[in-house]
């Protein structure tokens, strides 16, 4: 059904129900003023034009009100995070009590492990994907050391089969049958950052729970990209950042999900601060600690409102479009990229991302035969912003909110040019 012509791509853009959203974003240009083909929304999402006015509003309220802004700002700062709750819950498929926006991603991962990684002498191991994002791997290794365990002996890797890139559930099942009693925590990237494989969160959770393991997900590459359904997955916890598909700006705040079944468990130990304390009595200052039910009970500090304003600016757009429409376009535009890449021939490129649209988001990880970083640099010179992951993978993400079918068509044309395939 797809066609490898610029006319076809243009026609698809005209038919695209979401095409008007592109104009709500700043699309980067080269130094001559030519619009770049931006394919790295999976790494740093583009800036919504309205972000500036959201942040400016807080700067103005701070200038005009000083400390009174906590209660008198147009969007009062004290409950500011609550204005993000509904849209966040919707986007990750959770109940409002299960989500909060706070801190940064790796910090949240540690806070979750402080509560949910409860190793004993016999059950202390942590299972992760062999190709987990480095920060996640370093974080779980440090948790093992923190509890006095060896960070090599304590780590179990879910590894692809020989000469494959993707992971098989049967292999996870086998690990659990074999070593399930030793495993305290299963921590998986919801969508793997390298291959783009979107895991069946529910299946992994059920497998883990069957063996009494805690199950958590890092959804940095899932949030805003796929329909996560975190509540239904049954996962114990999840974390994500907001600067990738959620377009909230470099290093912006992160999200956290704690399943409802843990919401009222005050016995669950955690690291706390005044922002995890009951809002009614927070400012009485000398109260005994009284934890807020739900994910908010893991907050530590009063949050950075300027970053939070950027998160709100972005979530307001997602809220308007809805993740269903986004994933619909995502499947179509990603399928188009796949179709065009395949015209290059299997002796030139191999897509390591799953072929099933249900098992991926909009990122395709492209292995180019005999490629090295020079190829990627040529692509960049040709006006394509993609990203390179050692040893030989180019990751491209046609983001449904602001990328076009023409972007995808031109990307592949440029790739052909640098590969001398035209
Ligand atoms: C992007 C990403 C991170 C980055 O962590 P920060 O704490 O935000 O710097 C960590 N883990 C995964 C899986 C990621 O995709």
């Amino acid at each position: 059904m797809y066609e490898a012509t610029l006319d076809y791509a243009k026609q698809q853009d005209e038919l695209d129900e979401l095409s008007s959203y592109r104009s709500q974003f700043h699309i980067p240009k080269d130094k001559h003023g030519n619009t770049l083909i931006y394919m790295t929304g999976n790494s740093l999402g583009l800036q919504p034009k309205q972000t500036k006015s959201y942040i400016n509003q807080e700067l103005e309220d701070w200038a005009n009100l000083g400390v009174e802004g906590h209660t008198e700002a147009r969007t009062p700062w004290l409950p500011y995070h609550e204005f993000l709750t509904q849209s966040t819950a919707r986007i990750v498929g959770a109940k409002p009590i299960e989500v909060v926006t706070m801190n940064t991603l790796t910090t949240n991962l540690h806070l979750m492990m402080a509560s949910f990684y409860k190793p004993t002498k016999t059950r202390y191991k942590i299972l992760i994907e062999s190709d987990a994002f480095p920060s996640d791997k370093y974080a779980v290794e440090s948790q093992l050391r923190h509890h006095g365990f060896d960070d090599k002996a304590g780590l179990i890797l879910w590894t692809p089969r020989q000469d494959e890139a993707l992971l098989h559930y049967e292999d996870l099942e086998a690990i659990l049958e074999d070593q399930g009693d030793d495993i305290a925590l299963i921590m998986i990237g919801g969508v793997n950052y390298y291959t783009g494989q979107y895991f069946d969160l529910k299946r992994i959770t059920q497998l883990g729970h069957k063996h009494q393991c805690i199950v958590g997900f890092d959804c940095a590459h899932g949030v805003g990209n796929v329909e996560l359904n975190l509540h239904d997955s049954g996962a114990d916890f999840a974390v994500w950042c907001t600067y990738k598909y959620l377009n909230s700006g470099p290093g912006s705040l992160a999200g956290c999900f704690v399943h409802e079944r843990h919401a009222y468990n005050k016995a669950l130990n955690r690291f706390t601060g005044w922002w995890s304390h009951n809002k009614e009595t927070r400012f009485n200052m000398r109260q005994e600690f009284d934890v807020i039910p739900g994910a908010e009970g893991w907050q530590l500090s009063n949050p950075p409102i300027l970053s939070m304003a950027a998160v709100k600016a972005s979530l307001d757009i997602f809220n308007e479009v809805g993740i269903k429409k986004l994933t619909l376009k995502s499947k179509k535009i990603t399928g188009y990229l796949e179709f065009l890449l395949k015209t290059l021939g299997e002796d030139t490129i191999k897509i390591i991302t799953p072929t099933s649209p249900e098992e991926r988001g909009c990122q395709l990880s492209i292995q180019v035969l005999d490629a090295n970083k020079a190829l990627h640099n040529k692509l960049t010179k040709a006006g394509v912003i993609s990203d390179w992951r050692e040893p030989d993978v180019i990751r491209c993400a046609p983001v449904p909110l602001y990328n076009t079918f023409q972007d995808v068509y031109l990307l592949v044309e440029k790739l052909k040019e640098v590969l001398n395939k035209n």
Side-chain angles (χ1 to χ4, degrees), residues 11-20 329 400 403-405:
Q11 190 187 22
Q12 291 310 304
D13 286 331
E14 277 160 25
L15 293 170
D16 173 17
E17 204 190 335
L18 305 184
S19 63
S20 65
K329 173 172 171 190
N403 279 120
T404 61
F405 287 83

Side-chain angles (χ1 to χ4, degrees), residues 57-63 65-81 83 275 303 305 308:
Q57 179 177 315
E58 302 318 319
L59 287 172
E60 282 166 20
D61 285 352
W62 174 27
L65 299 164
V67 72
E68 300 297 327
H70 283 301
T71 51
E72 303 304 317
R74 284 163 279 181
T75 314
W77 304 329
L78 272 185
Y80 201 104
H81 67 277
F83 301 118
W275 240 248
I305 297 300
M308 228 170 223

Side-chain angles (χ1 to χ4, degrees), residues 195-322:
T195 62
Q197 181 175 16
Y198 173 25
F199 294 109
D200 184 338
L201 308 190
K202 192 170 189 164
R203 183 164 176 187
I204 293 174
T205 304
Q206 285 174 346
L207 279 174
H209 284 175
K210 192 174 131 199
H211 293 272
Q212 281 89 50
C213 312
I214 287 281
V215 181
F217 293 103
D218 183 334
C219 295
H221 280 268
V223 66
N225 178 28
V226 293
E227 264 192 273
L228 285 169
N229 297 321
L230 285 180
H231 177 82
D232 286 345
S233 78
D236 294 287
F237 70 85
V239 292
W240 56 89
C241 57
T242 65
Y243 51 81
K244 290 172 180 164
Y245 294 99
L246 285 191
N247 312 318
S248 300
S252 193
L253 284 146
C256 187
F257 162 92
V258 179
H259 198 277
E260 192 180 28
R261 83 176 81 89
H262 303 298
Y264 298 95
N265 181 2
K266 290 192 179 191
L268 199 55
N269 198 31
R270 65 188 86 198
F271 290 162
T272 54
W274 68 328
W275 240 248
S276 23
H277 178 89
N278 184 343
K279 294 169 207 176
E280 303 298 319
T281 56
R282 182 181 286 152
F283 290 93
N284 297 356
M285 299 308 216
R286 285 169 193 85
Q287 288 271 328
E288 278 292 308
F289 180 70
D290 177 19
V291 74
I292 307 175
E296 283 189 24
W298 272 268
Q299 297 172 105
L300 300 176
S301 303
N302 78 101
I305 297 300
L306 300 182
S307 281
M308 228 170 223
V311 180
K312 187 167 191 311
S314 167
L315 285 177
D316 284 354
I317 298 174
F318 275 89
N319 217 16
E320 186 183 297
V321 190

Side-chain angles (χ1 to χ4, degrees), residues 96-219:
I97 196 169
E98 295 174 317
V99 296
V100 67
T101 300
M102 61 181 190
N103 311 312
T104 51
L105 173 54
T106 308
T107 309
N108 287 348
L109 183 53
H110 275 298
L111 291 177
M112 289 294 100
M113 289 195 280
S115 291
F116 292 104
Y117 174 51
K118 293 285 166 210
T120 64
K121 274 204 170 62
T122 54
R123 185 190 281 274
Y124 71 93
K125 297 190 177 180
I126 303 179
L127 184 147
I128 60 172
E129 316 130 90
S130 59
D131 213 348
F133 194 90
S135 196
D136 300 36
K137 182 158 182 274
Y138 303 152
V140 300
E141 285 171 346
S142 68
Q143 286 282 336
L144 281 160
R145 293 192 298 271
H146 175 69
H147 287 278
F149 299 106
D150 184 90
D151 59 17
K152 297 232 163 19
L155 206 59
I156 298 180
L157 303 178
W158 179 16
T159 310
R161 296 176 188 173
Q162 179 103 42
D163 299 323
E164 289 188 21
L166 304 177
L167 294 172
H168 293 268
Y169 298 102
E170 294 75 19
D171 297 344
L172 174 63
E173 229 171 311
I175 296 173
L176 287 166
E177 287 303 328
D178 191 34
Q179 306 177 71
D181 292 345
D182 305 340
I183 298 172
L185 171 68
I186 298 176
M187 228 304 295
I188 304 289
V191 175
N192 182 272
Y193 83 101
Y194 186 70
T195 62
Q197 181 175 16
Y198 173 25
F199 294 109
D200 184 338
L201 308 190
K202 192 170 189 164
R203 183 164 176 187
I204 293 174
T205 304
Q206 285 174 346
L207 279 174
H209 284 175
K210 192 174 131 199
H211 293 272
Q212 281 89 50
C213 312
I214 287 281
V215 181
F217 293 103
D218 183 334
C219 295

Side-chain angles (χ1 to χ4, degrees), residues 322-382:
I323 192 76
K324 288 225 187 304
K325 277 191 185 166
L326 278 174
T327 49
L328 215 67
K329 173 172 171 190
S330 173
K331 285 176 183 161
K332 205 163 170 193
I333 196 166
T334 309
Y336 190 47
L337 176 58
E338 182 179 44
F339 165 81
L340 292 175
L341 286 169
K342 281 190 169 161
T343 64
L344 284 151
E346 282 196 17
D347 50 343
T348 310
I349 64 132
K350 198 177 132 200
I351 301 170
I352 61 175
T353 306
T355 47
S356 159
E358 307 308 316
E359 291 178 58
R360 68 184 186 199
C362 67
Q363 170 187 322
L364 293 184
S365 305
I366 308 158
Q367 221 165 18
V368 185
L369 216 74
D370 302 324
N372 54 41
K373 193 136 196 260
L375 171 84
H376 177 254
N377 293 344
K378 278 189 209 161
L379 257 186
T380 309
K381 256 203 170 133

Side-chain angles (χ1 to χ4, degrees), residues 383-397:
V384 176
I385 309 297
S386 62
D387 87 0
W388 176 259
R389 282 288 175 269
E390 294 295 342
D392 57 359
V393 164
I394 298 175
R395 300 186 307 169
C396 289

